mmCIF file of all heavy atoms in Angstrom:
data_model
loop_
_atom_site.group_PDB
_atom_site.id
_atom_site.type_symbol
_atom_site.label_atom_id
_atom_site.label_comp_id
_atom_site.label_asym_id
_atom_site.label_seq_id
_atom_site.Cartn_x
_atom_site.Cartn_y
_atom_site.Cartn_z
ATOM 1 N N ALA A 1260 49.717 75.539 308.591
ATOM 2 C CA ALA A 1260 48.405 75.416 309.223
ATOM 3 C C ALA A 1260 48.416 75.931 310.653
ATOM 4 O O ALA A 1260 47.408 75.860 311.352
ATOM 5 C CB ALA A 1260 47.947 73.959 309.190
ATOM 6 N N TYR A 1277 45.486 76.316 317.300
ATOM 7 C CA TYR A 1277 44.740 75.430 316.410
ATOM 8 C C TYR A 1277 45.145 73.970 316.615
ATOM 9 O O TYR A 1277 44.303 73.069 316.618
ATOM 10 C CB TYR A 1277 44.965 75.848 314.957
ATOM 11 C CG TYR A 1277 43.954 75.276 313.986
ATOM 12 C CD1 TYR A 1277 42.605 75.640 314.057
ATOM 13 C CD2 TYR A 1277 44.340 74.383 312.992
ATOM 14 C CE1 TYR A 1277 41.677 75.130 313.167
ATOM 15 C CE2 TYR A 1277 43.420 73.868 312.093
ATOM 16 C CZ TYR A 1277 42.095 74.241 312.189
ATOM 17 O OH TYR A 1277 41.173 73.724 311.301
ATOM 18 N N ILE A 1281 42.764 70.664 318.374
ATOM 19 C CA ILE A 1281 42.599 69.272 317.930
ATOM 20 C C ILE A 1281 42.841 68.330 319.104
ATOM 21 O O ILE A 1281 42.108 67.360 319.305
ATOM 22 C CB ILE A 1281 43.560 68.958 316.763
ATOM 23 C CG1 ILE A 1281 43.250 69.854 315.560
ATOM 24 C CG2 ILE A 1281 43.465 67.488 316.366
ATOM 25 C CD1 ILE A 1281 44.254 69.729 314.427
ATOM 26 N N ALA A 1512 47.313 70.456 299.504
ATOM 27 C CA ALA A 1512 46.733 71.733 299.923
ATOM 28 C C ALA A 1512 46.812 71.922 301.427
ATOM 29 O O ALA A 1512 46.465 72.981 301.942
ATOM 30 C CB ALA A 1512 45.275 71.830 299.463
ATOM 31 N N GLY A 1513 47.290 70.889 302.173
ATOM 32 C CA GLY A 1513 47.462 71.038 303.609
ATOM 33 C C GLY A 1513 46.722 69.985 304.407
ATOM 34 O O GLY A 1513 46.623 68.825 304.007
ATOM 35 N N LEU A 1514 46.197 70.395 305.543
ATOM 36 C CA LEU A 1514 45.429 69.510 306.412
ATOM 37 C C LEU A 1514 44.118 69.100 305.757
ATOM 38 O O LEU A 1514 43.585 69.819 304.905
ATOM 39 C CB LEU A 1514 45.070 70.225 307.716
ATOM 40 C CG LEU A 1514 46.099 70.361 308.826
ATOM 41 C CD1 LEU A 1514 45.492 71.178 309.968
ATOM 42 C CD2 LEU A 1514 46.552 69.014 309.321
ATOM 43 N N MET A 1515 43.604 67.946 306.173
ATOM 44 C CA MET A 1515 42.252 67.557 305.830
ATOM 45 C C MET A 1515 41.686 66.891 307.071
ATOM 46 O O MET A 1515 41.987 65.736 307.361
ATOM 47 C CB MET A 1515 42.229 66.609 304.638
ATOM 48 C CG MET A 1515 40.841 66.421 304.046
ATOM 49 S SD MET A 1515 40.805 65.260 302.655
ATOM 50 C CE MET A 1515 41.939 66.042 301.516
ATOM 51 N N LEU A 1516 40.899 67.640 307.814
ATOM 52 C CA LEU A 1516 40.454 67.154 309.125
ATOM 53 C C LEU A 1516 39.110 66.449 309.048
ATOM 54 O O LEU A 1516 38.166 66.966 308.435
ATOM 55 C CB LEU A 1516 40.351 68.325 310.106
ATOM 56 C CG LEU A 1516 41.664 69.015 310.466
ATOM 57 C CD1 LEU A 1516 41.389 70.214 311.380
ATOM 58 C CD2 LEU A 1516 42.632 68.052 311.141
ATOM 59 N N PRO A 1517 38.998 65.269 309.670
ATOM 60 C CA PRO A 1517 37.688 64.641 309.808
ATOM 61 C C PRO A 1517 36.774 65.569 310.602
ATOM 62 O O PRO A 1517 37.188 66.136 311.623
ATOM 63 C CB PRO A 1517 37.995 63.353 310.584
ATOM 64 C CG PRO A 1517 39.454 63.104 310.348
ATOM 65 C CD PRO A 1517 40.078 64.454 310.256
ATOM 66 N N PRO A 1518 35.530 65.752 310.165
ATOM 67 C CA PRO A 1518 34.631 66.713 310.833
ATOM 68 C C PRO A 1518 34.486 66.511 312.337
ATOM 69 O O PRO A 1518 34.392 67.479 313.089
ATOM 70 C CB PRO A 1518 33.298 66.484 310.107
ATOM 71 C CG PRO A 1518 33.704 66.040 308.739
ATOM 72 C CD PRO A 1518 34.927 65.200 308.945
ATOM 73 N N ALA A 1521 37.520 68.122 313.926
ATOM 74 C CA ALA A 1521 37.914 69.451 313.442
ATOM 75 C C ALA A 1521 37.480 70.547 314.414
ATOM 76 O O ALA A 1521 36.300 70.605 314.775
ATOM 77 C CB ALA A 1521 37.308 69.702 312.068
ATOM 78 N N PRO A 1522 38.387 71.427 314.834
ATOM 79 C CA PRO A 1522 37.999 72.550 315.698
ATOM 80 C C PRO A 1522 36.968 73.455 315.029
ATOM 81 O O PRO A 1522 36.093 74.001 315.689
ATOM 82 C CB PRO A 1522 39.324 73.294 315.918
ATOM 83 C CG PRO A 1522 40.382 72.280 315.675
ATOM 84 C CD PRO A 1522 39.842 71.391 314.597
ATOM 85 N N ILE A 1523 37.097 73.628 313.713
ATOM 86 C CA ILE A 1523 36.136 74.387 312.922
ATOM 87 C C ILE A 1523 35.597 73.448 311.850
ATOM 88 O O ILE A 1523 36.355 72.939 311.026
ATOM 89 C CB ILE A 1523 36.781 75.622 312.257
ATOM 90 C CG1 ILE A 1523 37.377 76.552 313.318
ATOM 91 C CG2 ILE A 1523 35.783 76.365 311.389
ATOM 92 C CD1 ILE A 1523 38.246 77.665 312.744
ATOM 93 N N GLN A 1524 34.310 73.181 311.867
ATOM 94 C CA GLN A 1524 33.720 72.270 310.884
ATOM 95 C C GLN A 1524 33.289 72.995 309.615
ATOM 96 O O GLN A 1524 33.320 72.419 308.520
ATOM 97 C CB GLN A 1524 32.513 71.551 311.498
ATOM 98 C CG GLN A 1524 32.885 70.636 312.664
ATOM 99 C CD GLN A 1524 31.673 70.077 313.365
ATOM 100 O OE1 GLN A 1524 30.728 70.819 313.675
ATOM 101 N NE2 GLN A 1524 31.669 68.774 313.624
ATOM 102 N N VAL A 1525 32.886 74.234 309.766
ATOM 103 C CA VAL A 1525 32.417 75.036 308.631
ATOM 104 C C VAL A 1525 32.996 76.434 308.738
ATOM 105 O O VAL A 1525 32.936 77.045 309.811
ATOM 106 C CB VAL A 1525 30.871 75.130 308.601
ATOM 107 C CG1 VAL A 1525 30.411 75.996 307.429
ATOM 108 C CG2 VAL A 1525 30.237 73.742 308.519
ATOM 109 N N VAL A 1526 33.562 76.929 307.651
ATOM 110 C CA VAL A 1526 33.989 78.328 307.602
ATOM 111 C C VAL A 1526 33.118 79.054 306.584
ATOM 112 O O VAL A 1526 32.844 78.538 305.498
ATOM 113 C CB VAL A 1526 35.488 78.458 307.238
ATOM 114 C CG1 VAL A 1526 35.780 77.910 305.845
ATOM 115 C CG2 VAL A 1526 35.936 79.911 307.352
ATOM 116 N N ILE A 1527 32.650 80.220 306.958
ATOM 117 C CA ILE A 1527 31.822 81.046 306.072
ATOM 118 C C ILE A 1527 32.680 82.183 305.531
ATOM 119 O O ILE A 1527 33.279 82.939 306.304
ATOM 120 C CB ILE A 1527 30.608 81.624 306.823
ATOM 121 C CG1 ILE A 1527 29.767 80.494 307.437
ATOM 122 C CG2 ILE A 1527 29.752 82.480 305.891
ATOM 123 C CD1 ILE A 1527 28.699 80.985 308.396
ATOM 124 N N VAL A 1528 32.750 82.288 304.211
ATOM 125 C CA VAL A 1528 33.530 83.347 303.574
ATOM 126 C C VAL A 1528 32.580 84.265 302.809
ATOM 127 O O VAL A 1528 32.076 83.905 301.744
ATOM 128 C CB VAL A 1528 34.585 82.771 302.615
ATOM 129 C CG1 VAL A 1528 35.368 83.910 301.951
ATOM 130 C CG2 VAL A 1528 35.541 81.835 303.357
ATOM 131 N N VAL A 1556 26.863 73.072 315.260
ATOM 132 C CA VAL A 1556 27.964 72.999 314.300
ATOM 133 C C VAL A 1556 29.047 73.987 314.727
ATOM 134 O O VAL A 1556 28.747 75.137 315.079
ATOM 135 C CB VAL A 1556 27.481 73.320 312.870
ATOM 136 C CG1 VAL A 1556 28.654 73.309 311.887
ATOM 137 C CG2 VAL A 1556 26.412 72.331 312.434
ATOM 138 N N ARG A 1557 30.306 73.545 314.685
ATOM 139 C CA ARG A 1557 31.422 74.441 315.016
ATOM 140 C C ARG A 1557 31.736 75.258 313.762
ATOM 141 O O ARG A 1557 32.247 74.736 312.763
ATOM 142 C CB ARG A 1557 32.635 73.634 315.481
ATOM 143 C CG ARG A 1557 32.388 72.865 316.765
ATOM 144 C CD ARG A 1557 33.643 72.206 317.318
ATOM 145 N NE ARG A 1557 34.118 71.109 316.491
ATOM 146 C CZ ARG A 1557 33.655 69.859 316.542
ATOM 147 N NH1 ARG A 1557 32.662 69.556 317.365
ATOM 148 N NH2 ARG A 1557 34.172 68.920 315.758
ATOM 149 N N VAL A 1558 31.421 76.562 313.826
ATOM 150 C CA VAL A 1558 31.465 77.396 312.631
ATOM 151 C C VAL A 1558 32.281 78.657 312.866
ATOM 152 O O VAL A 1558 32.299 79.207 313.978
ATOM 153 C CB VAL A 1558 30.026 77.742 312.164
ATOM 154 C CG1 VAL A 1558 29.265 78.471 313.255
ATOM 155 C CG2 VAL A 1558 30.028 78.529 310.868
ATOM 156 N N LYS A 1559 32.951 79.123 311.829
ATOM 157 C CA LYS A 1559 33.755 80.341 311.875
ATOM 158 C C LYS A 1559 33.327 81.245 310.725
ATOM 159 O O LYS A 1559 33.241 80.822 309.575
ATOM 160 C CB LYS A 1559 35.240 79.986 311.719
ATOM 161 C CG LYS A 1559 36.167 81.128 311.369
ATOM 162 C CD LYS A 1559 36.488 81.994 312.564
ATOM 163 C CE LYS A 1559 37.515 83.065 312.198
ATOM 164 N NZ LYS A 1559 37.797 83.958 313.350
ATOM 165 N N LYS A 1571 41.535 83.598 301.449
ATOM 166 C CA LYS A 1571 40.813 82.907 302.517
ATOM 167 C C LYS A 1571 40.524 81.454 302.139
ATOM 168 O O LYS A 1571 40.628 80.550 302.973
ATOM 169 C CB LYS A 1571 39.513 83.645 302.835
ATOM 170 C CG LYS A 1571 39.709 85.020 303.451
ATOM 171 C CD LYS A 1571 38.368 85.715 303.659
ATOM 172 C CE LYS A 1571 38.536 87.113 304.237
ATOM 173 N NZ LYS A 1571 37.231 87.789 304.438
ATOM 174 N N PHE A 1572 40.145 81.230 300.877
ATOM 175 C CA PHE A 1572 39.885 79.860 300.440
ATOM 176 C C PHE A 1572 41.114 78.987 300.691
ATOM 177 O O PHE A 1572 41.030 77.898 301.257
ATOM 178 C CB PHE A 1572 39.532 79.816 298.953
ATOM 179 C CG PHE A 1572 38.205 80.444 298.603
ATOM 180 C CD1 PHE A 1572 37.841 80.599 297.279
ATOM 181 C CD2 PHE A 1572 37.320 80.874 299.575
ATOM 182 C CE1 PHE A 1572 36.631 81.173 296.929
ATOM 183 C CE2 PHE A 1572 36.110 81.453 299.251
ATOM 184 C CZ PHE A 1572 35.759 81.607 297.912
ATOM 185 N N ASN A 1573 42.263 79.467 300.235
ATOM 186 C CA ASN A 1573 43.504 78.708 300.392
ATOM 187 C C ASN A 1573 43.876 78.521 301.862
ATOM 188 O O ASN A 1573 44.344 77.456 302.274
ATOM 189 C CB ASN A 1573 44.648 79.420 299.668
ATOM 190 C CG ASN A 1573 44.565 79.266 298.171
ATOM 191 O OD1 ASN A 1573 44.138 78.249 297.656
ATOM 192 N ND2 ASN A 1573 44.968 80.298 297.449
ATOM 193 N N PHE A 1574 43.692 79.567 302.642
ATOM 194 C CA PHE A 1574 44.060 79.531 304.056
ATOM 195 C C PHE A 1574 43.247 78.474 304.804
ATOM 196 O O PHE A 1574 43.799 77.672 305.560
ATOM 197 C CB PHE A 1574 43.850 80.907 304.681
ATOM 198 C CG PHE A 1574 44.202 80.977 306.144
ATOM 199 C CD1 PHE A 1574 45.525 80.960 306.557
ATOM 200 C CD2 PHE A 1574 43.211 81.063 307.113
ATOM 201 C CE1 PHE A 1574 45.854 81.025 307.908
ATOM 202 C CE2 PHE A 1574 43.525 81.120 308.460
ATOM 203 C CZ PHE A 1574 44.857 81.106 308.853
ATOM 204 N N TRP A 1575 41.942 78.473 304.616
ATOM 205 C CA TRP A 1575 41.095 77.538 305.346
ATOM 206 C C TRP A 1575 41.204 76.122 304.797
ATOM 207 O O TRP A 1575 41.000 75.160 305.536
ATOM 208 C CB TRP A 1575 39.651 78.030 305.370
ATOM 209 C CG TRP A 1575 39.521 79.303 306.169
ATOM 210 C CD1 TRP A 1575 39.244 80.552 305.711
ATOM 211 C CD2 TRP A 1575 39.735 79.442 307.581
ATOM 212 N NE1 TRP A 1575 39.260 81.458 306.737
ATOM 213 C CE2 TRP A 1575 39.561 80.799 307.900
ATOM 214 C CE3 TRP A 1575 40.054 78.545 308.598
ATOM 215 C CZ2 TRP A 1575 39.689 81.287 309.197
ATOM 216 C CZ3 TRP A 1575 40.181 79.032 309.897
ATOM 217 C CH2 TRP A 1575 40.001 80.386 310.186
ATOM 218 N N GLU A 1576 41.556 76.001 303.523
ATOM 219 C CA GLU A 1576 41.875 74.671 302.999
ATOM 220 C C GLU A 1576 43.138 74.142 303.675
ATOM 221 O O GLU A 1576 43.214 72.956 304.037
ATOM 222 C CB GLU A 1576 42.068 74.726 301.483
ATOM 223 C CG GLU A 1576 40.767 74.836 300.699
ATOM 224 C CD GLU A 1576 41.003 74.949 299.203
ATOM 225 O OE1 GLU A 1576 42.176 74.904 298.773
ATOM 226 O OE2 GLU A 1576 40.013 75.078 298.470
ATOM 227 N N MET A 1577 44.140 75.001 303.815
ATOM 228 C CA MET A 1577 45.378 74.605 304.494
ATOM 229 C C MET A 1577 45.091 74.121 305.914
ATOM 230 O O MET A 1577 45.699 73.164 306.404
ATOM 231 C CB MET A 1577 46.357 75.779 304.523
ATOM 232 C CG MET A 1577 47.628 75.530 305.315
ATOM 233 S SD MET A 1577 48.646 74.202 304.659
ATOM 234 C CE MET A 1577 49.146 74.936 303.101
ATOM 235 N N LYS A 1578 44.142 74.737 306.584
ATOM 236 C CA LYS A 1578 43.818 74.367 307.962
ATOM 237 C C LYS A 1578 42.835 73.204 308.033
ATOM 238 O O LYS A 1578 42.449 72.780 309.127
ATOM 239 C CB LYS A 1578 43.282 75.596 308.711
ATOM 240 C CG LYS A 1578 44.360 76.670 308.891
ATOM 241 C CD LYS A 1578 43.839 77.894 309.608
ATOM 242 C CE LYS A 1578 43.892 77.750 311.112
ATOM 243 N NZ LYS A 1578 45.248 77.821 311.654
ATOM 244 N N GLY A 1579 42.442 72.685 306.869
ATOM 245 C CA GLY A 1579 41.685 71.437 306.825
ATOM 246 C C GLY A 1579 40.225 71.531 307.197
ATOM 247 O O GLY A 1579 39.614 70.501 307.526
ATOM 248 N N VAL A 1580 39.622 72.728 307.156
ATOM 249 C CA VAL A 1580 38.209 72.870 307.526
ATOM 250 C C VAL A 1580 37.356 72.061 306.544
ATOM 251 O O VAL A 1580 37.455 72.248 305.326
ATOM 252 C CB VAL A 1580 37.793 74.351 307.526
ATOM 253 C CG1 VAL A 1580 36.301 74.482 307.813
ATOM 254 C CG2 VAL A 1580 38.610 75.124 308.558
ATOM 255 N N PRO A 1581 36.504 71.157 307.027
ATOM 256 C CA PRO A 1581 35.781 70.238 306.148
ATOM 257 C C PRO A 1581 34.858 70.896 305.122
ATOM 258 O O PRO A 1581 34.786 70.456 303.978
ATOM 259 C CB PRO A 1581 34.976 69.377 307.124
ATOM 260 C CG PRO A 1581 35.748 69.428 308.402
ATOM 261 C CD PRO A 1581 36.324 70.816 308.452
ATOM 262 N N LEU A 1582 34.141 71.952 305.528
ATOM 263 C CA LEU A 1582 33.198 72.604 304.617
ATOM 264 C C LEU A 1582 33.418 74.110 304.588
ATOM 265 O O LEU A 1582 33.691 74.730 305.622
ATOM 266 C CB LEU A 1582 31.753 72.337 305.054
ATOM 267 C CG LEU A 1582 31.097 71.006 304.683
ATOM 268 C CD1 LEU A 1582 29.671 70.977 305.221
ATOM 269 C CD2 LEU A 1582 31.102 70.757 303.184
ATOM 270 N N ARG A 1583 33.286 74.683 303.392
ATOM 271 C CA ARG A 1583 33.353 76.135 303.240
ATOM 272 C C ARG A 1583 32.044 76.611 302.622
ATOM 273 O O ARG A 1583 31.566 76.052 301.633
ATOM 274 C CB ARG A 1583 34.519 76.521 302.335
ATOM 275 C CG ARG A 1583 34.672 78.029 302.149
ATOM 276 C CD ARG A 1583 35.872 78.388 301.312
ATOM 277 N NE ARG A 1583 35.709 78.082 299.897
ATOM 278 C CZ ARG A 1583 36.454 77.228 299.207
ATOM 279 N NH1 ARG A 1583 37.427 76.549 299.808
ATOM 280 N NH2 ARG A 1583 36.236 77.005 297.916
ATOM 281 N N ILE A 1584 31.465 77.640 303.198
ATOM 282 C CA ILE A 1584 30.255 78.261 302.654
ATOM 283 C C ILE A 1584 30.622 79.629 302.110
ATOM 284 O O ILE A 1584 31.221 80.450 302.819
ATOM 285 C CB ILE A 1584 29.156 78.388 303.728
ATOM 286 C CG1 ILE A 1584 28.653 76.990 304.134
ATOM 287 C CG2 ILE A 1584 28.002 79.241 303.217
ATOM 288 C CD1 ILE A 1584 27.595 77.013 305.228
ATOM 289 N N SER A 1599 31.440 74.221 299.520
ATOM 290 C CA SER A 1599 32.592 73.498 298.971
ATOM 291 C C SER A 1599 33.115 72.500 299.993
ATOM 292 O O SER A 1599 33.288 72.835 301.163
ATOM 293 C CB SER A 1599 33.715 74.474 298.605
ATOM 294 O OG SER A 1599 33.327 75.311 297.532
ATOM 295 N N ARG A 1600 33.386 71.287 299.528
ATOM 296 C CA ARG A 1600 33.935 70.229 300.376
ATOM 297 C C ARG A 1600 35.455 70.234 300.297
ATOM 298 O O ARG A 1600 36.029 70.277 299.215
ATOM 299 C CB ARG A 1600 33.407 68.861 299.939
ATOM 300 C CG ARG A 1600 31.963 68.633 300.288
ATOM 301 C CD ARG A 1600 31.454 67.309 299.745
ATOM 302 N NE ARG A 1600 32.213 66.138 300.193
ATOM 303 C CZ ARG A 1600 31.712 64.908 300.231
ATOM 304 N NH1 ARG A 1600 30.448 64.699 299.878
ATOM 305 N NH2 ARG A 1600 32.459 63.894 300.634
ATOM 306 N N ARG A 1601 36.094 70.121 301.463
ATOM 307 C CA ARG A 1601 37.563 70.081 301.500
ATOM 308 C C ARG A 1601 38.108 68.785 300.907
ATOM 309 O O ARG A 1601 39.196 68.767 300.329
ATOM 310 C CB ARG A 1601 38.028 70.239 302.956
ATOM 311 C CG ARG A 1601 39.527 70.063 303.172
ATOM 312 C CD ARG A 1601 40.334 71.143 302.465
ATOM 313 N NE ARG A 1601 41.760 70.944 302.675
ATOM 314 C CZ ARG A 1601 42.527 70.169 301.927
ATOM 315 N NH1 ARG A 1601 41.996 69.475 300.914
ATOM 316 N NH2 ARG A 1601 43.826 70.075 302.161
ATOM 317 N N ASP A 1602 37.370 67.685 301.036
ATOM 318 C CA ASP A 1602 37.886 66.396 300.592
ATOM 319 C C ASP A 1602 37.700 66.153 299.096
ATOM 320 O O ASP A 1602 38.201 65.167 298.561
ATOM 321 C CB ASP A 1602 37.237 65.251 301.381
ATOM 322 C CG ASP A 1602 35.738 65.151 301.145
ATOM 323 O OD1 ASP A 1602 35.088 66.212 301.023
ATOM 324 O OD2 ASP A 1602 35.212 64.025 301.087
ATOM 325 N N ILE A 1603 36.974 67.042 298.406
ATOM 326 C CA ILE A 1603 36.808 66.929 296.956
ATOM 327 C C ILE A 1603 37.236 68.263 296.354
ATOM 328 O O ILE A 1603 36.465 69.224 296.350
ATOM 329 C CB ILE A 1603 35.347 66.613 296.558
ATOM 330 C CG1 ILE A 1603 34.872 65.341 297.263
ATOM 331 C CG2 ILE A 1603 35.228 66.462 295.045
ATOM 332 C CD1 ILE A 1603 33.426 64.980 296.989
ATOM 333 N N LEU A 1628 28.749 66.823 306.356
ATOM 334 C CA LEU A 1628 29.796 66.535 307.342
ATOM 335 C C LEU A 1628 29.879 65.033 307.609
ATOM 336 O O LEU A 1628 30.975 64.462 307.703
ATOM 337 C CB LEU A 1628 29.534 67.298 308.642
ATOM 338 C CG LEU A 1628 29.714 68.818 308.579
ATOM 339 C CD1 LEU A 1628 29.279 69.452 309.897
ATOM 340 C CD2 LEU A 1628 31.148 69.200 308.255
ATOM 341 N N ILE A 1631 31.563 63.406 304.605
ATOM 342 C CA ILE A 1631 33.017 63.624 304.604
ATOM 343 C C ILE A 1631 33.694 62.693 305.595
ATOM 344 O O ILE A 1631 34.724 62.086 305.308
ATOM 345 C CB ILE A 1631 33.339 65.093 304.919
ATOM 346 C CG1 ILE A 1631 32.846 66.001 303.785
ATOM 347 C CG2 ILE A 1631 34.847 65.290 305.120
ATOM 348 C CD1 ILE A 1631 32.888 67.487 304.116
ATOM 349 N N LEU A 1635 36.403 59.933 304.274
ATOM 350 C CA LEU A 1635 37.804 59.909 304.698
ATOM 351 C C LEU A 1635 38.182 58.543 305.255
ATOM 352 O O LEU A 1635 39.281 58.034 305.001
ATOM 353 C CB LEU A 1635 38.055 60.998 305.738
ATOM 354 C CG LEU A 1635 38.033 62.444 305.228
ATOM 355 C CD1 LEU A 1635 38.239 63.420 306.380
ATOM 356 C CD2 LEU A 1635 39.086 62.669 304.151
#
Side-chain angles (χ1 to χ4, degrees):
Y1277 197 65
I1281 298 173
L1514 281 177
M1515 193 182 301
L1516 294 176
I1523 301 170
Q1524 296 173 313
V1525 179
V1526 63
I1527 303 170
V1528 179
V1556 177
R1557 296 187 291 277
V1558 59
K1559 164 78 175 178
K1571 293 177 182 180
F1572 292 173
N1573 285 326
F1574 180 73
W1575 294 111
E1576 284 177 2
M1577 175 63 67
K1578 293 179 85 72
V1580 176
L1582 279 180
R1583 181 177 73 242
I1584 293 178
S1599 293
R1600 287 176 57 156
R1601 174 64 181 86
D1602 64 323
I1603 304 177
L1628 290 174
I1631 293 169
L1635 289 178

